[in-house]
């Protein structure tokens, strides 16, 4: 979804009444609160920390990379499992898989359907 695809940003071709209502009644975060690439974005979402602190800030993680999102960080699905939730990942992982400790099912997800790499 692009910037101008939302009604409150002036979209003339898409109707987004629910998003528009949330924006009107809540807080709009529109000052670059995300990363422009998938590895840093996923890492930030799952750890709750800025990518510069996990070493994922520079670019995407390539398939042959001998590293991944550092194991010292507890991820969102691990917190959710502590609270009794089932956790499932769908889609690409793209946070490392060069050792079995880095794959999604060893980072808190009960299951994962998708690719470990970017494609």
């Amino acid at each position: 979804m692009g910037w101008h695809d939302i009604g409150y940003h002036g979209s003339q071709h898409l109707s987004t009444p629910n998003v528009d209502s949330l924006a009107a009644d809540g807080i709009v975060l529109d000052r670059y609160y995300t990363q422009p690439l998938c590895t840093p974005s996923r890492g930030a979402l799952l750890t709750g920390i800025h990518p510069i602190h996990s070493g994922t800030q520079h670019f995407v993680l390539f398939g042959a990379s001998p590293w991944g999102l550092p194991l010292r960080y507890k991820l969102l699905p691990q917190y959710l499992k502590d609270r009794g939730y089932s956790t499932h990942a769908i889609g690409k992982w793209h946070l490392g898989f060069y050792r079995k400790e880095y794959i999604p099912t060893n980072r808190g997800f009960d299951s994962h359907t998708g690719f470990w790499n970017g494609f």
Side-chain angles (χ1 to χ4, degrees), residues 40-104:
S41 294
R42 277 184 177 73
L45 175 67
L46 291 174
T47 62
I49 64 168
H50 195 279
I52 199 164
H53 299 293
S54 66
T56 61
Q57 76 275 14
H58 294 297
F59 202 62
V60 298
L61 193 140
F62 293 108
S65 297
W67 66 281
L69 186 63
L71 297 173
R72 69 180 177 271
Y73 296 111
K74 188 173 182 178
L75 305 186
L76 177 62
Q78 294 167 310
Y79 285 104
L80 293 171
K81 285 187 74 60
D82 289 347
R83 300 287 185 172
Y85 287 89
S86 294
T87 58
H88 305 279
I90 300 171
K92 68 179 184 174
W93 174 242
H94 218 185
L95 292 172
F97 62 90
Y98 83 104
R99 287 192 350 228
K100 66 179 180 175
E101 294 86 2
Y102 286 86
I103 64 173

Side-chain angles (χ1 to χ4, degrees), residues 9-22:
H9 283 165
S11 174
Q12 299 298 311
H13 63 282
L14 294 175
S15 175
T16 57
N18 293 329
V19 173
D20 298 343
S21 177
L22 288 170

